[in-house]
């Protein structure tokens, strides 16, 4: 019963973090799925490592595989990292225990269900993100926001100027916006 309570507490905490705090502030749908799956994957594997007879060093070494994936490959999107981690965790769970009992099966199901829900196309489907190169240097954020909203035909929820070139009169901006309803 304590394990079930711990899992529920973790799921409530990551839900509040991802949907209640992160997304309303930053509006990055791609990172939502990464946060959800990394959290559930770590929970699942840590639960097994805690109950298995392997050392903590082995567990930490296995998690290092995730950083190798990121550092040794061409740049991949955040949701793709979540899929990599899910695949890694799904392999580790039965691999470390050598069995699939209710705990391992339940944790594996939890990882897949979290990825399914967190990366569902209907979840925040109108939210978009792109980098835009403008042929005008915008120093006023309000004017920049208005210009982007007119250009994209959408409500801008977040913008970040990446490069402002007053000599060549250009602005490079990362913009997150809500697309108009179809």
């Amino acid at each position: 019963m304590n394990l079930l309570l711990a899992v529920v507490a973790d799921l409530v905490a990551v839900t509040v973090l991802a949907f209640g705090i992160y997304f309303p502030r930053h509006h990055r749908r791609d990172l939502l799925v990464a946060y959800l799956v990394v959290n559930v994957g770590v929970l699942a594997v840590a639960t097994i490592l805690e109950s298995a007879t392997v050392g903590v060093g082995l567990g930490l070494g296995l998690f290092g595989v995730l950083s190798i994936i990121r550092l040794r490959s061409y740049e991949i999107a955040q949701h793709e990292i979540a899929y990599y981690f899910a695949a890694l965790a799904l392999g580790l769970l039965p691999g470390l225990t050598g069995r699939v009992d209710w705990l391992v099966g339940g944790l594996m199901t939890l990882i897949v269900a979290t990825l399914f829900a967190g990366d569902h196309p209907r979840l925040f489907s109108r939210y978009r993100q792109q980098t835009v190169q403008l042929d005008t240097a915008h120093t006023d954020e309000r004017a920049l926001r208005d210009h982007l909203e007119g250009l994209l035909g959408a409500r801008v929820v977040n913008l970040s100027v990446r490069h402002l070139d007053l000599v060549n009169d250009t602005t490079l901006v990362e913009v997150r916006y809500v697309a108009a309803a179809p």
Side-chain angles (χ1 to χ4, degrees), residues 12-161:
V12 168
V14 75
T15 299
V16 169
L17 178 75
F19 293 101
I21 299 171
Y22 176 78
F23 189 80
R25 292 182 182 171
H26 302 285
H27 303 286
R28 276 197 71 178
R29 181 185 180 278
D30 62 327
L31 285 179
L32 270 181
V33 66
Y35 294 148
L36 293 170
V37 173
V38 164
N39 174 269
V40 172
V42 167
L43 172 69
V45 174
T47 300
I48 291 300
L49 286 175
E50 188 271 330
S51 65
T53 59
V54 297
V56 174
L58 174 63
L60 293 175
L62 292 172
F63 282 115
V65 172
L66 182 61
S67 65
I68 292 170
I69 291 169
R70 179 65 171 184
L71 295 173
R72 299 279 186 236
S73 61
Y74 61 91
E75 185 156 337
I76 59 176
Q78 295 297 326
H79 67 280
E80 292 169 325
I81 292 172
Y83 280 95
Y84 273 112
F85 185 79
L88 176 68
L90 289 171
L92 287 173
L93 287 169
L96 288 173
T97 61
R99 65 185 190 288
V100 178
D101 56 11
W102 70 270
L103 177 61
V104 172
L107 291 171
M108 292 174 75
T109 301
L110 183 61
I111 292 170
V112 173
T114 301
L115 192 53
F116 176 81
D119 195 35
H120 197 281
R122 290 187 183 155
L123 181 64
F124 302 113
S125 63
R126 292 180 34 224
Y127 281 81
R128 305 282 194 280
Q129 169 188 334
Q130 65 180 307
T131 302
V132 178
Q133 175 79 40
L134 300 171
D135 62 354
T136 305
H138 288 275
T139 56
D140 179 1
E141 187 174 317
R142 183 69 239 164
L144 175 58
R145 181 180 298 273
D146 292 342
H147 181 74
L148 287 167
E149 286 181 347
L151 186 66
L152 298 169
R155 181 174 59 89
V156 172
V157 294
N158 192 307
L159 63 87
S160 177
V161 175

